[in-house]
Amino acid sequence: MPVGQLIRWGSLFDHAPATIRVTAGRLMKQGLLESTDRGIYRIGQVGKALQETAAAWISILDRIGAWDGQWLCVHTSHLGRTDKTAVRTRERAFRLMGFEQLVAGLWCRPANLVEPASVSLNRLIALGLERGAVLLHMQGADMCADVDAHRLWLREPREDQYRKMIGLLEASQQRLAHLDLGSAMQESFLVGEHVIRQINADPLLPEEMIDTALRMQMISTMQSYDAHCHPLWVAFRDHYQNNQASD
């Protein structure tokens, strides 16, 4: 994507061109972006794992399997907490993979994903977990007797959030028809990004712990919203390119 397109996107949110250029430079230093030519950017190696995670929302339900009561746990106490950046990155990786902290240094989630545990661990590492983390498979009876792991994921607030996201998408889709292209782009980006963030942060709990039909409804509503908005995004891109060509 040319920097001019980034600037055009930024203008929708009142970001100055200089701010966009400085931010692009900072993201390059972090490896989240890389430049293929002068003023041309693409996602860098460090950013690809986050990109793949973000883009996987549309088929995220395919990752869920049946749950037999086992738990997937990762031990991190020996990794320390002095490096605050590493700790933030580590905890972000856990949240993106649906883990919660059972006790200090022990993160867990229901072992209900269809992928092997080793694949889940590799996903965590790609998202920033240190390679020294220890992977454990545990039966429910083996969990700490003083801690109820089920309480790490509160059911009612999460289901209320599903309903809120469904309502947000449906209301926004009705409004888009009455907005100019720029305003429609701004709203669809903010609403879509917000709901996709919720989907990607969903712990993918088994039916024993969550209303899976309601979760499926939220995701299917987002899929419909995405399909509805895609022509708007194409129109916005083409409008920019046509204006640039005429200049």
Side-chain angles (χ1 to χ4, degrees):
M1 183 178 289
V3 68
Q5 180 69 75
L6 295 176
I7 290 172
R8 176 68 172 164
W9 278 103
S11 69
L12 292 174
F13 306 96
D14 298 323
H15 294 311
T19 301
I20 299 296
R21 294 180 187 276
V22 169
T23 301
R26 176 173 57 81
L27 294 176
M28 281 187 62
K29 291 180 180 178
Q30 295 174 354
L32 294 170
L33 287 182
E34 60 186 29
S35 180
T36 60
D37 200 352
R38 182 175 177 83
I40 305 294
Y41 297 95
R42 68 182 180 190
I43 294 176
Q45 290 297 320
V46 176
K48 285 182 178 178
L50 290 174
Q51 179 204 22
E52 291 171 0
T53 298
W57 70 269
I58 199 163
S59 59
I60 198 167
L61 294 180
D62 294 340
R63 296 181 57 208
I64 304 174
W67 188 43
D68 61 2
Q70 294 191 65
W71 298 82
L72 191 63
C73 302
V74 180
H75 175 60
T76 63
S77 289
H78 59 295
L79 300 177
R81 299 186 60 85
T82 55
D83 186 337
K84 299 304 181 184
T85 300
V87 171
R88 285 195 298 270
T89 302
R90 177 195 310 164
E91 294 185 353
R92 180 184 65 185
F94 281 129
R95 303 294 184 194
L96 286 172
M97 287 290 291
F99 283 77
E100 292 290 344
Q101 191 165 214
L102 181 68
V103 293
L106 184 64
W107 295 76
C108 69
R109 62 155 296 120
N112 67 315
L113 302 181
V114 296
E115 65 192 26
S118 59
V119 173
S120 295
L121 179 61
N122 287 335
R123 286 182 187 270
L124 286 167
I125 291 172
L127 291 169
L129 176 65
E130 300 94 324
R131 291 187 176 275
V134 178
L135 178 68
L136 305 168
H137 236 130
M138 301 177 68
Q139 294 286 348
D142 298 330
M143 302 294 281
C144 180
D146 295 332
V147 181
D148 182 0
H150 291 75
R151 294 186 179 180
L152 297 176
W153 298 271
L154 299 178
R155 180 169 183 151
E156 290 187 8
R158 191 170 301 278
E159 292 177 353
D160 286 343
Q161 187 73 356
Y162 291 161
R163 298 184 185 94
K164 180 180 178 181
M165 294 301 100
I166 293 168
L168 179 66
L169 289 167
E170 292 175 341
S172 176
Q173 186 163 328
Q174 292 180 359
R175 282 194 301 269
L176 292 178
H178 307 290
L179 299 176
D180 60 77
L181 184 57
S183 298
M185 286 303 306
Q186 184 185 56
E187 170 152 339
S188 66
F189 182 89
L190 291 173
V191 172
E193 190 272 345
H194 177 62
V195 177
I196 288 173
R197 184 183 293 270
Q198 296 295 321
I199 294 173
N200 282 332
D202 191 89
L204 306 180
L205 299 173
E207 61 182 8
E208 292 86 350
M209 299 172 65
I210 202 70
D211 184 340
T212 55
L214 189 60
R215 179 177 61 198
M216 184 180 298
Q217 182 183 353
M218 175 188 66
I219 295 173
S220 64
T221 304
M222 180 62 222
Q223 290 170 339
S224 297
Y225 185 82
D226 181 62
H228 179 81
C229 293
H230 186 70
L232 297 175
W233 289 50
V234 173
F236 182 82
R237 181 199 62 195
D238 292 346
H239 177 72
Y240 166 77
Q241 292 176 340
N242 291 337
N243 287 347
Q244 188 178 48
S246 64
D247 293 340

